[in-house]
PDB file of all heavy atoms in Angstrom:
ATOM      1  N   ARG A1146     -15.612   1.529  -7.109  1.00 96.00           N
ATOM      2  CA  ARG A1146     -14.168   1.328  -7.110  1.00 96.00           C
ATOM      3  C   ARG A1146     -13.752   0.592  -8.376  1.00 96.00           C
ATOM      4  O   ARG A1146     -14.289  -0.454  -8.702  1.00 96.00           O
ATOM      5  CB  ARG A1146     -13.803   0.493  -5.883  1.00 96.00           C
ATOM      6  CG  ARG A1146     -12.319   0.383  -5.646  1.00 96.00           C
ATOM      7  CD  ARG A1146     -12.027  -0.586  -4.511  1.00 96.00           C
ATOM      8  NE  ARG A1146     -11.008  -1.533  -4.973  1.00 96.00           N
ATOM      9  CZ  ARG A1146     -10.647  -2.609  -4.297  1.00 96.00           C
ATOM     10  NH1 ARG A1146     -11.222  -2.925  -3.162  1.00 96.00           N
ATOM     11  NH2 ARG A1146      -9.703  -3.400  -4.766  1.00 96.00           N
ATOM     12  N   THR A1163      -0.899  -1.820  -9.692  1.00 84.00           N
ATOM     13  CA  THR A1163      -2.347  -1.711  -9.713  1.00 84.00           C
ATOM     14  C   THR A1163      -2.756  -0.428  -9.019  1.00 84.00           C
ATOM     15  O   THR A1163      -2.316  -0.161  -7.906  1.00 84.00           O
ATOM     16  CB  THR A1163      -2.993  -2.918  -9.023  1.00 84.00           C
ATOM     17  OG1 THR A1163      -2.608  -4.088  -9.737  1.00 84.00           O
ATOM     18  CG2 THR A1163      -4.508  -2.816  -9.042  1.00 84.00           C
ATOM     19  N   CYS A1188      -3.052   7.769   2.833  1.00 95.00           N
ATOM     20  CA  CYS A1188      -3.835   6.551   2.987  1.00 95.00           C
ATOM     21  C   CYS A1188      -4.857   6.453   1.859  1.00 95.00           C
ATOM     22  O   CYS A1188      -4.975   7.359   1.041  1.00 95.00           O
ATOM     23  CB  CYS A1188      -4.568   6.541   4.325  1.00 95.00           C
ATOM     24  SG  CYS A1188      -3.473   6.288   5.719  1.00 95.00           S
ATOM     25  N   THR A1189      -5.602   5.359   1.826  1.00 95.00           N
ATOM     26  CA  THR A1189      -6.577   5.170   0.759  1.00 95.00           C
ATOM     27  C   THR A1189      -7.970   5.463   1.289  1.00 95.00           C
ATOM     28  O   THR A1189      -8.372   4.924   2.319  1.00 95.00           O
ATOM     29  CB  THR A1189      -6.492   3.721   0.251  1.00 95.00           C
ATOM     30  OG1 THR A1189      -5.131   3.452  -0.065  1.00 95.00           O
ATOM     31  CG2 THR A1189      -7.352   3.532  -0.976  1.00 95.00           C
ATOM     32  N   PRO A1205      -9.763   6.421   6.892  1.00 94.00           N
ATOM     33  CA  PRO A1205      -9.766   5.864   8.248  1.00 94.00           C
ATOM     34  C   PRO A1205      -8.527   6.245   9.056  1.00 94.00           C
ATOM     35  O   PRO A1205      -8.507   6.038  10.263  1.00 94.00           O
ATOM     36  CB  PRO A1205      -9.813   4.350   8.007  1.00 94.00           C
ATOM     37  CG  PRO A1205      -9.159   4.164   6.681  1.00 94.00           C
ATOM     38  CD  PRO A1205      -9.504   5.390   5.876  1.00 94.00           C
ATOM     39  N   CYS A1206      -7.509   6.769   8.397  1.00 96.00           N
ATOM     40  CA  CYS A1206      -6.247   6.980   9.113  1.00 96.00           C
ATOM     41  C   CYS A1206      -6.330   8.093  10.146  1.00 96.00           C
ATOM     42  O   CYS A1206      -5.990   7.902  11.305  1.00 96.00           O
ATOM     43  CB  CYS A1206      -5.128   7.222   8.122  1.00 96.00           C
ATOM     44  SG  CYS A1206      -4.616   5.671   7.362  1.00 96.00           S
ATOM     45  N   HIS A1207      -6.779   9.279   9.708  1.00 95.00           N
ATOM     46  CA  HIS A1207      -6.955  10.357  10.686  1.00 95.00           C
ATOM     47  C   HIS A1207      -8.323  10.994  10.477  1.00 95.00           C
ATOM     48  O   HIS A1207      -8.502  12.176  10.671  1.00 95.00           O
ATOM     49  CB  HIS A1207      -5.823  11.368  10.584  1.00 95.00           C
ATOM     50  CG  HIS A1207      -4.468  10.718  10.470  1.00 95.00           C
ATOM     51  ND1 HIS A1207      -3.823  10.565   9.267  1.00 95.00           N
ATOM     52  CD2 HIS A1207      -3.679  10.135  11.399  1.00 95.00           C
ATOM     53  CE1 HIS A1207      -2.672   9.916   9.464  1.00 95.00           C
ATOM     54  NE2 HIS A1207      -2.568   9.642  10.750  1.00 95.00           N
TER      55      HIS A1207
ATOM     56  N   TYR B 404       1.735  11.315  13.377  1.00 94.00           N
ATOM     57  CA  TYR B 404       0.535  10.747  12.772  1.00 94.00           C
ATOM     58  C   TYR B 404       0.608   9.234  12.610  1.00 94.00           C
ATOM     59  O   TYR B 404      -0.363   8.593  12.266  1.00 94.00           O
ATOM     60  CB  TYR B 404       0.296  11.362  11.387  1.00 94.00           C
ATOM     61  CG  TYR B 404      -0.038  12.823  11.436  1.00 94.00           C
ATOM     62  CD1 TYR B 404       0.893  13.779  11.072  1.00 94.00           C
ATOM     63  CD2 TYR B 404      -1.311  13.235  11.859  1.00 94.00           C
ATOM     64  CE1 TYR B 404       0.585  15.126  11.129  1.00 94.00           C
ATOM     65  CE2 TYR B 404      -1.622  14.573  11.917  1.00 94.00           C
ATOM     66  CZ  TYR B 404      -0.677  15.519  11.548  1.00 94.00           C
ATOM     67  OH  TYR B 404      -0.996  16.842  11.600  1.00 94.00           O
ATOM     68  N   ARG B 440       0.177  -0.100   1.553  1.00 91.00           N
ATOM     69  CA  ARG B 440      -0.291   0.864   0.557  1.00 91.00           C
ATOM     70  C   ARG B 440      -1.591   1.520   0.977  1.00 91.00           C
ATOM     71  O   ARG B 440      -1.807   2.702   0.768  1.00 91.00           O
ATOM     72  CB  ARG B 440      -0.500   0.156  -0.786  1.00 91.00           C
ATOM     73  CG  ARG B 440       0.630   0.390  -1.742  1.00 91.00           C
ATOM     74  CD  ARG B 440       0.329  -0.160  -3.121  1.00 91.00           C
ATOM     75  NE  ARG B 440      -0.847   0.429  -3.731  1.00 91.00           N
ATOM     76  CZ  ARG B 440      -1.489  -0.119  -4.771  1.00 91.00           C
ATOM     77  NH1 ARG B 440      -1.089  -1.243  -5.264  1.00 91.00           N
ATOM     78  NH2 ARG B 440      -2.536   0.476  -5.281  1.00 91.00           N
ATOM     79  N   GLN B 441      -2.445   0.722   1.566  1.00 94.00           N
ATOM     80  CA  GLN B 441      -3.762   1.229   1.954  1.00 94.00           C
ATOM     81  C   GLN B 441      -3.649   2.282   3.057  1.00 94.00           C
ATOM     82  O   GLN B 441      -4.364   3.273   3.045  1.00 94.00           O
ATOM     83  CB  GLN B 441      -4.615   0.043   2.441  1.00 94.00           C
ATOM     84  CG  GLN B 441      -6.044   0.394   2.783  1.00 94.00           C
ATOM     85  CD  GLN B 441      -6.925   0.433   1.541  1.00 94.00           C
ATOM     86  OE1 GLN B 441      -6.476   0.128   0.443  1.00 94.00           O
ATOM     87  NE2 GLN B 441      -8.177   0.815   1.718  1.00 94.00           N
ATOM     88  N   ARG B 445      -0.624   6.181   8.235  1.00 95.00           N
ATOM     89  CA  ARG B 445      -0.792   5.921   9.653  1.00 95.00           C
ATOM     90  C   ARG B 445       0.043   4.754  10.143  1.00 95.00           C
ATOM     91  O   ARG B 445       0.211   4.568  11.346  1.00 95.00           O
ATOM     92  CB  ARG B 445      -2.277   5.652   9.961  1.00 95.00           C
ATOM     93  CG  ARG B 445      -2.529   5.532  11.441  1.00 95.00           C
ATOM     94  CD  ARG B 445      -3.962   5.736  11.822  1.00 95.00           C
ATOM     95  NE  ARG B 445      -4.122   5.611  13.264  1.00 95.00           N
ATOM     96  CZ  ARG B 445      -5.263   5.750  13.891  1.00 95.00           C
ATOM     97  NH1 ARG B 445      -6.355   6.047  13.213  1.00 95.00           N
ATOM     98  NH2 ARG B 445      -5.328   5.625  15.192  1.00 95.00           N
ATOM     99  N   ASP B 522      -6.824  -9.440  -2.709  1.00 89.00           N
ATOM    100  CA  ASP B 522      -7.672  -8.283  -2.462  1.00 89.00           C
ATOM    101  C   ASP B 522      -8.741  -8.601  -1.416  1.00 89.00           C
ATOM    102  O   ASP B 522      -8.972  -7.843  -0.483  1.00 89.00           O
ATOM    103  CB  ASP B 522      -8.333  -7.856  -3.769  1.00 89.00           C
ATOM    104  CG  ASP B 522      -9.025  -6.527  -3.624  1.00 89.00           C
ATOM    105  OD1 ASP B 522      -8.319  -5.545  -3.334  1.00 89.00           O
ATOM    106  OD2 ASP B 522     -10.256  -6.470  -3.761  1.00 89.00           O
ATOM    107  N   GLN B 526      -9.049  -6.875   2.254  1.00 91.00           N
ATOM    108  CA  GLN B 526     -10.203  -6.102   2.711  1.00 91.00           C
ATOM    109  C   GLN B 526     -10.560  -6.498   4.147  1.00 91.00           C
ATOM    110  O   GLN B 526     -10.920  -5.654   4.964  1.00 91.00           O
ATOM    111  CB  GLN B 526     -11.421  -6.305   1.810  1.00 91.00           C
ATOM    112  CG  GLN B 526     -11.229  -5.889   0.357  1.00 91.00           C
ATOM    113  CD  GLN B 526     -10.963  -4.399   0.162  1.00 91.00           C
ATOM    114  OE1 GLN B 526     -11.296  -3.572   0.999  1.00 91.00           O
ATOM    115  NE2 GLN B 526     -10.329  -4.048  -0.946  1.00 91.00           N
ATOM    116  N   THR B 533      -8.859  -0.901  10.970  1.00 93.00           N
ATOM    117  CA  THR B 533      -9.682   0.294  11.194  1.00 93.00           C
ATOM    118  C   THR B 533     -10.558   0.127  12.435  1.00 93.00           C
ATOM    119  O   THR B 533     -10.753   1.082  13.184  1.00 93.00           O
ATOM    120  CB  THR B 533     -10.563   0.649   9.981  1.00 93.00           C
ATOM    121  OG1 THR B 533     -11.070  -0.538   9.416  1.00 93.00           O
ATOM    122  CG2 THR B 533      -9.795   1.379   8.928  1.00 93.00           C
TER     123      THR B 533
END
Side-chain angles (χ1 to χ4, degrees):
Chain A
R1146 189 186 130 189
T1163 299
C1188 288
T1189 308
C1206 283
H1207 315 99
Chain B
Y404 294 105
R440 259 188 60 197
Q441 184 83 4
R445 187 160 180 179
D522 190 62
Q526 299 296 338
T533 39

